[in-house]
Amino acid sequence: MEFPDMTLSETQPAIHFGRWAAATMFCVNGFVVGSWAPQVPSFVVRLGIDEFTLGVLIFGYGLAALWTMTLAGQLIARMGSGKTLRLFVLPVIFMLPLAAQTSNVWVGAAVLVLFGSAIGGMDVAMNANVVAVERQSGRALMSTSHGFWSLGGFAGGSLGGIAIQTFGPLEHAILVATLAAVAVALCYAHIGDGAPPPREEGPKHFTWPRQVGIYVIGAMALLCMCAEGSVLNWSALYLQKELFADTAMVGFAFAGFSGVMALTRFCGDGIRNRFGAVATFRCSCIVAALSMLVAGLSPWPWLAIAAFAVCGIGAANLVPILFSTAGNQPGLNSGVSMSVVTTIGHVGLLLAPSIIGFAAGKVGIASIYVAVAFLLAAISLMAGKTSAADTKSS
């Protein structure tokens, strides 16, 4: 949505509605993804698979998402972020009902590939759309938008377990799809592209930078997103299978994680402005590591749920700080460095959970969470790498 011939008074309402439409897209995406977490145990039972097989299926989900992220980037360049977002949000609405009614492994694999494709494409499109809205409004909106994603995840995770136990997996999935469809319908027409970015001279094809530092930041993002993915994809199964929680309770692990993360993200910029990126990142890593360790060692489901919630406090600011660090790397184009870190980081969020599944079948999910805790502690030792986040306004 461009406004070349409109007055300021005419563009302001469109920008306002575009801002909230973008926030709604984040919330819908988080709600659908969060609702998938409590569906995982019933999905495993219905297909009669173990953790290893689930890991293989999630691997396909992740590969499809990464491929569609690249496709979405090409579509955005051709027709804008708004049209691309409208394209990908529609299949996202219907993915959970498809997953909730399949009882065949091969069909389940195909559904997860479609699910990953839709979520991956929507992820890139909605982030690009926020950048476009920021350009129109002249205000930073990215952290708040990610906060809305966490709010959606909280709602999906917290209500999912109760709905599944009360009504059943398919009925829950249909309810999720209905609510998502209503939200999308209310703001679909207000999704805007904003002003197109200025054309810059340079290579027409993406080239990977030679600076080693940006790959270190990318690796840190990968490990941080791996921690997020481990809670999303495995916390419900962990509570049910190893801590013997009932169906109504299993969704609260990711719900608590997402809800607390949302609240922390809404005030994350103020925390970083006061204490600096390095101190905020280091303390956040330590909080996330200690709480993840408690979750992995917990003998009770309620303690694990509380630990996952506290982990949300620590995890909330890790990826935003790393993205800000990437965008402020000296000697690198911010767009190139952001692309590198985003791509590497999403490997952690989308593919690492499948690797966790391979290992969980051998050593148990609890041991995986303990290992993730030590990884987070190791990342805290690299907090000095984030100092570039304070050199410019992000």
Side-chain angles (χ1 to χ4, degrees), residues 1 9 70 79 118 130 185 240 370 376:
M1 184 182 299
S9 61
T70 303
M79 60 186 193
V130 170
Q240 184 185 69
V370 172
L376 289 168

Side-chain angles (χ1 to χ4, degrees), residues 74 78 200-209 333 336 339:
Q74 297 171 352
R78 293 179 181 178
E200 299 179 356
E201 296 297 328
K204 296 183 178 180
H205 302 287
F206 177 84
T207 56
W208 291 90
N333 175 274
V336 172
S339 297

Side-chain angles (χ1 to χ4, degrees), residues 304-384:
I305 291 171
F308 283 128
V310 176
C311 188
I313 297 176
N317 288 320
L318 297 181
V319 172
I321 288 176
L322 289 171
F323 280 5
S324 183
T325 302
N328 291 311
Q329 287 296 297
L332 274 180
N333 175 274
S334 61
V336 172
S337 56
M338 280 291 291
S339 297
V340 171
V341 172
T342 301
T343 300
I344 296 176
H346 275 88
V347 171
L349 183 62
L350 298 171
L351 299 186
S354 63
I355 299 174
I356 290 173
F358 303 151
K362 302 293 183 181
V363 300
I365 304 175
S367 299
I368 298 300
Y369 285 128
V370 172
V372 171
F374 281 102
L375 284 177
L376 289 168
I379 298 171
S380 71
L381 301 177
M382 306 171 69

Side-chain angles (χ1 to χ4, degrees), residues 73-92:
Q74 297 171 352
L75 292 175
I76 290 168
R78 293 179 181 178
M79 60 186 193
S81 62
K83 291 180 180 178
T84 305
L85 181 53
R86 291 189 189 97
L87 177 66
F88 279 107
V89 70
L90 295 178
V92 166

Side-chain angles (χ1 to χ4, degrees), residues 210-302:
R210 298 180 180 179
Q211 290 88 332
V212 176
I214 193 63
Y215 297 103
V216 174
I217 301 300
M220 294 169 67
L222 185 152
L223 294 176
C224 291
M225 289 189 175
C226 174
E228 292 186 28
S230 70
V231 180
L232 167 63
N233 289 284
W234 295 102
S235 60
L237 196 62
Y238 169 56
L239 291 182
Q240 184 185 69
K241 190 168 184 178
E242 299 189 18
L243 298 183
F244 308 107
D246 60 29
T247 303
M249 183 179 286
V250 297
F252 285 113
F254 183 67
F257 178 82
S258 295
V260 174
M261 177 183 280
L263 294 176
T264 307
R265 277 179 168 168
F266 283 125
C267 59
D269 290 335
I271 295 173
R272 194 179 82 181
N273 289 335
R274 181 171 182 178
F275 298 104
V278 174
T280 303
F281 188 87
R282 180 177 290 117
C283 291
S284 297
C285 273
I286 292 172
V287 170
L290 290 176
S291 53
M292 190 72 81
L293 182 64
V294 171
L297 297 177
S298 173
W300 307 293
W302 63 265

Side-chain angles (χ1 to χ4, degrees), residues 34-50:
S35 298
W36 161 246
Q39 283 272 351
V40 171
S42 60
F43 182 80
V44 169
V45 172
R46 196 164 56 251
L47 270 61
I49 58 178
D50 56 15

